[in-house]
Amino acid sequence: MAGPVPELEDRAAACAERLHEADRVLLASHIDADGLTSAAVASSALERASVPFEVVFEKQLDEDAIARIARTDYETVWFTDFGSGQLDIITDYAADGGFTPVIADHHQPADADTEFHCNPLLEGLDGASELSGAGTAYLLARELAGYGPTESAGANERKSGPNPPTDPTMTDGGTVATTTRADNRDLAALAVVGAVGDMQASGGELHGANAEIVADGVEAGVLEPTTDLALYGTQTRPLPKLLEYATDVRIPGISNDQRGAMRFLDGLDLELRDDAGEWRRWGYLTADEQQTVASALVKHAISRGVPAGKIDGLVGTSYQLTAETTGTELRDASEFSTLLNATARYDRADVGLAVCLGDRGGALERARELLRSHRRNLSEGIDLVTTEGVTNEGHVQWFHAGDRIRETIVGIVAGMALGNEGIDRDRPIFAFAEKSDEPDAVKVSGRGTHTLVRQGLDLSVVLGEAARHVGGDGGGHDVAAGATVPAGREPDFLQRADELVGEQLGQ
């Protein structure tokens, strides 16, 4: 079966064959939106191939987590959205514990390898912008589709090992019931949610291998890419809120100005309120109405002196999930990914996975409750950083949140704060937060911009080397990375990180 990414077809096929041969599989994945969608894609593929499996989520795939996995009785472990960067540890435990690792990841690999390893970086593709963890899992899912259901297990049969992982987020796999296809191309929708959630839509759209997966989703009838306003909340936010919160491209008189946004909309010759007088949402406007609002917004931005390059950022590609209801968080890939982040980052990965697998009842309602709390926490975190400011070193800027921002969202806060008053978009930002489960360690997240990456920035290298310099470890992508460092060693970490960024940017 020809896959969408020829460069990785052989690797994906070898991994899929090993998974199909397994009596049962332990599926381990990360807790962000890309990790959740990776797990959902993998779960669905295993379910359809009738391969018994269980799922465990890890906040961080460190040696302790790998040791827990090795202590189970699973002979095959499928790692999604992590594993490549920990292969040196995984291979040691695999040899001692007698399990076979199958890796579907897109992060920088460690200086080790294993037989079943699918990663775009191994074949010259960019894992930060061309293919996400969910996209890599999707390649294996496409190959697994070639096997079809096995004769040895019914479609819903499950087996648990005698010593399953004790992680409270473990859950049995489920079925994506609404759009199932024999070739698994319907899973492209989840892969795209993962890519968008992993900030891979640089320049307003997905590129490279991601674009090929989008094409699969369009062919399967589960995705509809459209040229649209590049604003978050087109499905769920009332129009004034949509414009008021449009801060990626700041428009004087509208951004962060509720009354200004309402005056702008009231000045248009359109019926933008419903019969009850409530503001309509963008997703419910007709194409002509959307065009009128967008054109007026661009004219307003020009009149207020917004640079042409910034105005171009008002328009991008949105990825609509056609099986989902218009006006919900699940219709748009960007809003879907935020909903998922609101689950796993608050220790409820099981809820996010259930939503991915089609639960539109209790799991979706719980996810929405978590999303409301997540938004409050992000808003409070951004206010904290903007109010207290950041400390500037020679080439980087940073803040230490202590225990005031949850470690699982401090990186999101840092990325969203870039460009706010007093926070420079022309240098990377590092955010520190205490780790609730490791009192002697500190989480550090690094965020940059794609412009800085084009100038040579690679935060995966910076955080990895600087963390190891002080006895920690880290990694990730060029534009976003994370690390854990010993508490009290932050100054030494920053000194080394600042040196590395200066070298990368030639400053």
Side-chain angles (χ1 to χ4, degrees), residues 432 440 442 466-472 485-496:
F432 296 92
D440 296 329
V442 173
R468 288 187 287 274
H469 177 69
V470 298
V485 299
R489 298 300 303 277
E490 295 96 326
D492 298 324
F493 168 88
L494 282 166
Q495 180 179 359
R496 181 59 182 144

Side-chain angles (χ1 to χ4, degrees), residues 142-376:
R142 284 290 310 276
E143 296 295 334
L144 274 168
Y147 293 100
T150 63
E151 296 179 1
S152 60
N156 296 309
E157 184 178 345
R158 292 286 170 270
K159 299 177 185 176
S160 297
N163 298 299
T166 57
D167 189 297
T169 61
M170 175 173 285
T171 177
D172 281 339
T175 303
V176 177
T178 55
T179 58
T180 302
R181 285 175 53 113
D183 59 7
N184 283 343
R185 289 191 183 190
D186 58 297
L187 300 177
L190 288 172
V192 167
V193 172
V196 171
D198 213 47
M199 302 184 298
Q200 297 207 356
S202 60
E205 64 180 343
L206 295 172
H207 303 277
N210 283 323
E212 298 304 318
I213 295 175
V214 170
D216 265 11
V218 172
E219 188 276 335
V222 296
L223 279 174
E224 183 181 347
T226 60
T227 301
D228 206 347
L229 278 184
L231 305 180
Y232 177 83
T234 55
Q235 292 295 316
T236 59
R237 284 178 173 168
L239 285 168
K241 292 297 183 185
L242 177 70
L243 300 184
E244 177 189 350
Y245 294 152
T247 54
D248 285 344
V249 179
R250 296 181 182 275
I251 305 173
I254 293 178
S255 299
N256 292 323
D257 187 342
Q258 182 180 16
R259 292 183 178 179
M262 293 175 69
R263 281 195 302 270
F264 167 77
L265 292 167
D266 282 332
L268 302 178
D269 188 22
L270 294 172
E271 293 292 333
L272 297 179
R273 299 177 191 257
D274 61 22
D275 293 340
E278 300 293 329
W279 286 99
R280 297 164 66 193
R281 286 171 285 176
W282 180 263
Y284 286 106
L285 301 185
T286 67
D288 287 343
E289 289 172 330
Q290 290 180 350
Q291 181 62 47
T292 298
V293 175
S295 296
L297 191 62
V298 169
K299 290 177 181 177
H300 179 91
I302 292 172
S303 72
R304 294 303 185 94
V306 178
K310 294 283 189 180
I311 291 173
D312 289 343
L314 285 171
V315 178
T317 301
S318 69
Y319 299 93
Q320 306 295 311
L321 279 68
T322 59
E324 304 296 344
T325 303
T326 299
T328 69
E329 302 91 344
L330 307 181
R331 179 74 179 189
D332 176 78
S334 179
E335 294 195 59
F336 198 151
S337 69
T338 299
L339 181 79
L340 296 179
N341 272 326
T343 63
R345 292 184 185 274
Y346 296 87
D347 303 320
R348 292 307 307 268
D350 57 319
V351 172
L353 180 60
V355 172
C356 287
L357 295 175
D359 188 327
R360 298 297 177 262
L364 179 56
E365 183 52 40
R366 180 61 179 137
R368 285 171 169 160
E369 293 172 1
L370 291 165
L371 177 61
R372 287 190 285 270
S373 176
H374 180 55
R375 285 172 171 163
R376 286 194 300 271

Side-chain angles (χ1 to χ4, degrees), residues 50-136:
S50 297
V51 178
F53 68 98
E54 288 183 287
V55 183
V56 62
F57 290 96
E58 295 288 352
K59 180 168 57 177
Q60 182 178 338
L61 190 64
D62 55 16
E63 186 166 359
D64 288 342
I66 295 168
R68 284 196 299 272
I69 290 170
R71 286 195 295 269
T72 72
D73 285 345
Y74 285 89
E75 296 181 357
T76 304
V77 181
W78 185 1
F79 296 91
T80 62
D81 195 36
F82 53 23
S84 292
Q86 300 80 20
L87 260 176
D88 50 344
I89 304 173
I90 290 173
T91 51
D92 286 344
Y93 275 92
D96 293 340
F99 72 87
T100 299
V102 178
I103 313 290
D105 192 12
H106 64 134
H107 295 91
Q108 188 66 43
D111 189 18
D113 204 357
T114 191
E115 182 177 1
F116 306 107
H117 188 192
C118 190
N119 185 316
L121 292 164
L122 298 174
E123 300 297 337
L125 302 177
D126 190 338
S129 63
E130 291 188 84
L131 192 65
S132 68
T136 310

Side-chain angles (χ1 to χ4, degrees), residues 416-450:
M416 294 178 71
L418 271 177
N420 282 8
E421 185 176 356
I423 303 174
D424 191 356
R425 287 187 63 83
D426 294 329
R427 64 176 70 193
I429 185 171
F430 294 133
F432 296 92
E434 294 178 4
K435 291 178 68 70
S436 58
D437 56 347
E438 294 182 59
D440 296 329
V442 173
K443 168 71 179 293
V444 54
S445 293
R447 294 293 185 270
T449 65
H450 290 287

